[in-house]
Amino acid sequence: MAIVIIRQDGKIDLWKGALKDRNPEVAVYSYLEEHPKETITMAVIWKHPQGSLSHYPNLKCIASAGAGVDYIFEDTTVPKDVPITRIVDPYLASDMSEHVLAVILAELKNFNIYKLQQVDSHWSPIEYRRIKDVKVGIMGLGELGSLSATDLMKFGFSVQGWSRSKKTIKGVRTFSGSEEFNSFLESTQILVCLLPLTPETEGILNSELFSKLPKGCYIINVARGGHLVNEDLLKALDNGHLSGACLDVYHQEPLPSDHPFWNHPKIFMTPHYASVSDTNSVVPQILENYERLRHGENLLNKVNRNKGY
C-alpha cells in the first residue's frame, strides 16, 4: 500500500514531507516521479490533471486535500467505484468566517471606495452603514456556511441562511428548498455564496437571481467560480442594481490579465485565498483514512456522489 500526491500548485514536496513526518513508515510518492503505480491505494489530490487517476489499477480511495470536490467530478475518467473523501477542517471554517466578516465590515465602512480615492488623491467622505443596518444572507449552510452565520450573528449582524435541505442554527433564520428561495433573496442585503458546486448550483449567481435581490445588494462569492455568470454580474453592477462584489474564486485561476474584473471599480478581488487547508490539521485526517483502508474500515468524510459533496 502507498500514497501518491497529485497536484499542480508546487506544493507536492510540502505535503509529502508532512505525511512522512507524521508517519515515516508510509510510502508516499509524487505523481511526477518514478513510482510503482500498482502499489498505490490512495491518491491525495488537489485540482489534478484530468486523466491522471486512471493510471492506478489498485486505487481504493481518492482523497481531496481540501473541502471542495467539484473539480473531481469534472474529470470524466475518475474511476466510478472508488470512494472519494474530503477534508473537514475547523481551520478552514474559521478562516472563511474571518474572511467573510472582514469583507462585510470593509463594505459597510466604504474601505474599497476609499482605496480608489486614495489612488486618485481624492478626498470625499461617504456616509457609512452600521451592523444593525444590514441583513446578511448566506447561501450554503454546511460547515463553512454555518460557522460564518453563527459568528456574524454573535458579532451583532442580522443573519439568515438558505440551503437545499432544512437546517437549524440558533439565532439564524433559515430557509430551504426552491419554495423558500425567493423569500430568502428578497430580504438579503449582503449575499454570501458558500454553496458546494454541483450541476444544480452551477451558474446560480445569474441575472435571474440578482433581479430578486433588493437594489443595492452586495455580493460575496467565496465558494467556486462556477457559481457565477460573469457577464450577468458585470451587467448588474453597471446598471446599478448591485452595489458591488467581492470575489475570491474564478472560472479560470489565475485570472487572465485582460479580464474585465481587474479594473472594475465595483469589484474587489482576492486570489482564492479566503480559506486554505493547513497541512498540520489535514494530514492526520488523511492518515487516519489510510489506516482505515489498511484495515478494511469505513472511511471518514466520504463524499456522496449523488449529491456531489
Side-chain angles (χ1 to χ4, degrees), residues 230 234 250-252 255-264 269:
N230 293 349
L234 291 169
Y250 313 90
H251 285 271
Q252 182 179 346
L255 196 67
S257 59
D258 60 349
H259 198 283
F261 284 174
W262 283 110
N263 297 311
H264 199 288
M269 294 165 46

Side-chain angles (χ1 to χ4, degrees), residues 177-291:
S178 57
E179 64 278 2
E180 296 182 344
F181 193 39
N182 288 349
S183 296
F184 164 77
L185 295 173
E186 290 166 0
S187 52
T188 290
Q189 295 165 292
I190 295 178
L191 180 68
V192 182
C193 182
L194 275 168
L195 290 166
L197 183 61
T198 67
E200 290 73 29
T201 65
E202 185 173 4
I204 194 171
L205 296 174
N206 57 30
S207 291
E208 181 181 0
L209 181 146
F210 297 150
S211 69
K212 296 172 182 175
L213 294 167
K215 182 176 173 60
C217 185
Y218 189 82
I219 303 293
I220 301 172
N221 187 19
V222 281
R224 287 290 183 266
H227 287 117
L228 178 65
V229 179
N230 293 349
E231 297 78 11
D232 290 359
L233 175 64
L234 291 169
K235 181 179 178 180
L237 292 172
D238 291 341
N239 66 25
H241 184 69
L242 297 179
S243 63
C246 180
L247 308 176
D248 185 59
V249 289
Y250 313 90
H251 285 271
Q252 182 179 346
E253 298 178 1
L255 196 67
S257 59
D258 60 349
H259 198 283
F261 284 174
W262 283 110
N263 297 311
H264 199 288
K266 293 184 178 180
I267 295 178
F268 182 78
M269 294 165 46
T270 52
H272 200 156
Y273 217 69
S275 181
V276 180
S277 298
D278 181 352
T279 54
N280 291 324
S281 58
V282 168
V283 161
Q285 293 185 44
I286 292 173
L287 290 175
E288 169 69 17
N289 270 339
Y290 180 77
E291 290 301 316

Side-chain angles (χ1 to χ4, degrees), residues 37-277:
K37 294 182 173 59
E38 68 282 356
T39 68
I40 300 298
T41 52
M42 172 182 278
V44 179
I45 68 173
W46 182 251
K47 298 190 175 180
H48 62 292
Q50 293 198 4
S52 57
L53 290 168
S54 61
H55 303 309
Y56 302 100
N58 297 312
L59 192 62
K60 298 294 188 296
C61 174
I62 299 168
S64 175
V69 294
D70 50 280
Y71 66 96
I72 299 176
F73 293 109
E74 292 172 359
D75 183 356
T76 58
T77 68
V78 170
K80 299 294 190 292
D81 58 343
V82 176
I84 299 169
T85 64
R86 65 187 185 92
I87 293 302
V88 177
D89 180 4
Y91 287 108
L92 280 177
S94 60
D95 288 353
M96 181 63 74
S97 178
E98 292 173 8
H99 180 91
V100 169
L101 174 61
V103 170
I104 292 175
L105 290 176
E107 168 60 14
L108 294 184
K109 303 308 177 185
N110 303 307
F111 283 9
N112 302 330
I113 296 175
Y114 288 143
K115 183 59 182 178
L116 294 175
Q117 291 183 3
Q118 179 182 342
V119 172
D120 293 333
S121 303
H122 179 63
W123 181 289
S124 180
I126 304 168
E127 184 177 357
Y128 55 78
R129 291 181 289 173
R130 298 180 175 91
I131 288 173
K132 69 177 183 62
D133 295 334
V134 297
K135 180 172 288 184
V136 180
I138 298 179
M139 292 199 305
L141 296 175
E143 289 88 358
L144 275 62
S146 294
L147 184 62
S148 291
T150 300
D151 286 352
L152 287 168
M153 182 269 299
K154 291 178 178 177
F155 214 77
F157 285 94
S158 175
V159 185
Q160 58 189 27
W162 178 86
S163 53
R164 187 171 72 168
S165 57
K166 187 65 177 176
K167 301 288 178 65
T168 301
I169 303 173
K170 186 177 180 180
V172 177
R173 184 185 181 190
T174 58
F175 300 77
S176 62
S178 57
E179 64 278 2
E180 296 182 344
F181 193 39
N182 288 349
S183 296
F184 164 77
L185 295 173
E186 290 166 0
S187 52
T188 290
Q189 295 165 292
I190 295 178
L191 180 68
V192 182
C193 182
L194 275 168
L195 290 166
L197 183 61
T198 67
E200 290 73 29
T201 65
E202 185 173 4
I204 194 171
L205 296 174
N206 57 30
S207 291
E208 181 181 0
L209 181 146
F210 297 150
S211 69
K212 296 172 182 175
L213 294 167
K215 182 176 173 60
C217 185
Y218 189 82
I219 303 293
I220 301 172
N221 187 19
V222 281
R224 287 290 183 266
H227 287 117
L228 178 65
V229 179
N230 293 349
E231 297 78 11
D232 290 359
L233 175 64
L234 291 169
K235 181 179 178 180
L237 292 172
D238 291 341
N239 66 25
H241 184 69
L242 297 179
S243 63
C246 180
L247 308 176
D248 185 59
V249 289
Y250 313 90
H251 285 271
Q252 182 179 346
E253 298 178 1
L255 196 67
S257 59
D258 60 349
H259 198 283
F261 284 174
W262 283 110
N263 297 311
H264 199 288
K266 293 184 178 180
I267 295 178
F268 182 78
M269 294 165 46
T270 52
H272 200 156
Y273 217 69
S275 181
V276 180
S277 298

